[in-house]
Amino acid sequence: MAGSIDPYETAKGRRYRVRYRKPDKSQTDKRGFKTKRDAELFLASVTVSKARGEYVDPSDGRRTLSMFSEQWKAERLALLKPSSRHAMETAWRVHVEPKWASRGVAGISESEIAAWVAEMLAAGKSAQTIRRIVFVLSGVLAIAVRERARPTNPAAGIALPKKRRKPARYLTHAQVATLAQAAGDKSLVIEFLAYTGLRWGEAVALRVRHINMLRRRISVEENAVTVKGTYEIGTPKSGLARIVPMPPHLVQELARLCEGKGPDGFLFGDGAAPLAHTHATSGWFARAVKAAQAIDATFPRITPHDLRHTAASLAVSSGANVKAVQRMLGHASAAMTLDVYADLFDDDLDAVAAAMSVARASAVS
């Protein structure tokens, strides 16, 4: 065994010291073992960890989590879209840093992190928020593992609350018309979102050059997200551009929007900047919803994103198959579309069952 064990006397009795060499060949020791057996077990564990390449220098393990946070920011956050980067930075600053930044990374245990998750859940934090916070902690700890400040990542295997998708709300054609009328000069925005399925950020980021009147196509190439109160322009959520059909009944109005604007002018708004996001409770969209509810008692409480759900619903009810809906919405796969909008394809299931019964009747008659 590479190392030695030596006894020494203290006021409390005999203790043992383990001397060994680190992977860089420098010598170090650890004192205070009450029995020779404990000292032998420690030396054996050091020998095995060195052989496996998992050795952690005790002095490195005392490095605090904050010492690895800048590496995490430089390496991991730089790859994210502005909105995601802001969310991760906020999770670090508000939640992770106050709790863990001053702790030595070697002393952070899985049980402590699990207890912290339970505390956040009991405090009423949403599953999505908790998952983001633990993701940030795990990311910083992963840097510490890579830098050999600890052997494993204690946050990697933590059980996390499952995200619950909010039920989608769909409008009928008549309800879309009611909302558009209530929106006044923003009526075209309502119709556009409800019949194209674009996300809000994708719609307000559209420029005149993205509109092909001849082919009646819309090229979704950019996305505008609000970060610290201002828009930042980036790629769509999937990272990929897509082509969306232009609803024929909106062609003339969209053509009028393009008038007097250059190719890089924004379609909605004055052309110089994306249309400002409507305030959730007091903006024009919220006022339009209240006005629509006053007209139609069945009108649901919705957000602009529910118009994307509405577009999916109206497309399916018009006979579109799942692949067509997937392409329109820009989902990564048809499976994702089915996962989000499974309830919209219930009629297809009924049709399959009916067709099987018809086939059976023909076969056995």
Side-chain angles (χ1 to χ4, degrees):
M1 189 174 293
S4 63
I5 299 173
D6 303 307
Y8 63 95
E9 299 298 329
T10 71
K12 295 183 179 181
R14 176 167 292 188
R15 296 291 184 265
Y16 293 85
R17 174 171 55 199
V18 177
R19 299 180 188 272
Y20 63 95
R21 292 189 181 277
K22 297 187 288 187
D24 63 3
K25 306 303 181 184
S26 62
Q27 185 169 294
T28 187
D29 63 24
K30 182 175 176 61
R31 303 162 58 95
F33 295 98
K34 293 183 179 180
T35 67
K36 187 175 181 180
R37 173 66 173 165
D38 290 341
E40 290 172 340
L41 289 173
F42 173 77
L43 181 55
S45 69
V46 169
T47 303
V48 170
S49 66
K50 288 195 296 181
R52 291 178 174 175
E54 299 173 351
Y55 175 78
V56 174
D57 191 318
S59 62
D60 289 335
R62 289 191 290 271
R63 295 168 66 186
T64 63
L65 190 74
S66 63
M67 294 179 179
F68 299 95
S69 63
E70 292 305 317
Q71 283 178 272
W72 168 75
K73 292 175 184 177
E75 296 178 18
R76 307 294 173 86
L77 298 190
L79 304 175
L80 301 178
K81 291 178 180 293
S83 58
S84 298
R85 184 169 61 248
H86 177 63
M88 296 300 173
E89 288 174 337
T90 300
W92 165 261
R93 176 175 49 83
V94 176
H95 301 286
V96 180
E97 185 176 24
K99 176 74 174 181
W100 304 103
S102 62
R103 289 284 302 276
V105 292
I108 298 175
S109 68
E110 185 174 340
S111 60
E112 284 184 289
I113 299 173
W116 184 48
V117 169
E119 289 173 7
M120 291 190 289
L121 195 59
K125 286 184 172 55
S126 69
Q128 183 174 355
T129 297
I130 294 173
R131 293 175 73 91
R132 182 186 301 123
I133 292 169
V134 176
F135 179 80
V136 168
L137 174 61
S138 182
V140 182
L141 285 168
I143 300 290
V145 172
R146 189 192 67 193
E147 298 300 316
R148 297 187 179 278
R150 62 169 297 139
T152 58
N153 185 342
I158 295 297
L160 297 173
K162 294 183 178 180
K163 292 188 290 185
R164 295 182 180 178
R165 183 179 288 117
K166 294 180 180 179
R169 296 182 175 89
Y170 310 115
L171 301 184
T172 64
H173 289 287
Q175 288 175 324
V176 171
T178 299
L179 182 63
Q181 182 177 3
D185 63 351
K186 300 295 191 304
S187 61
L188 182 56
V189 178
I190 298 295
E191 293 265 354
F192 186 85
L193 294 174
Y195 287 100
T196 64
L198 267 67
R199 302 174 178 88
W200 173 271
E202 295 171 340
V204 299
L206 286 174
R207 303 174 192 268
V208 172
R209 59 182 164 82
H210 295 146
I211 308 300
N212 188 326
M213 289 296 176
L214 186 63
R215 297 186 61 236
R216 294 187 178 181
R217 291 292 186 267
I218 302 163
S219 181
V220 183
E221 301 175 12
E222 296 179 313
N223 186 50
V225 295
T226 305
V227 179
K228 297 181 180 180
T230 60
Y231 272 129
E232 289 197 25
I233 306 297
T235 58
K237 186 175 182 180
S238 64
L240 301 174
R242 69 183 187 279
I243 302 296
V244 176
M246 186 184 301
H249 72 285
L250 299 181
V251 169
Q252 291 186 354
E253 291 185 79
L254 290 174
R256 282 195 290 269
L257 277 186
C258 295
E259 294 176 359
K261 298 176 182 177
D264 288 329
F266 290 100
L267 183 66
F268 294 104
D270 61 6
L275 179 68
H277 203 292
T278 178
H279 191 277
T281 57
S282 61
W284 64 265
F285 188 88
R287 294 195 300 271
V289 170
K290 289 181 180 178
Q293 289 173 328
I295 297 170
D296 177 3
T298 66
F299 198 98
R301 182 180 178 181
I302 63 170
T303 68
H305 195 74
D306 287 313
L307 295 180
R308 176 171 165 84
H309 300 321
T310 293
S313 173
L314 298 179
V316 171
S317 65
S318 70
N321 61 44
V322 65
K323 288 296 293 183
V325 177
Q326 174 209 342
R327 291 180 61 189
M328 180 180 76
L329 298 179
H331 285 163
S333 66
M336 179 179 179
T337 305
L338 283 172
D339 185 43
V340 176
Y341 297 113
D343 58 316
L344 296 180
F345 293 90
D346 283 346
D347 290 344
D348 287 353
L349 295 176
D350 294 338
V352 168
M356 291 174 69
S357 291
V358 171
R360 177 187 178 282
S362 299
V364 300
S365 59

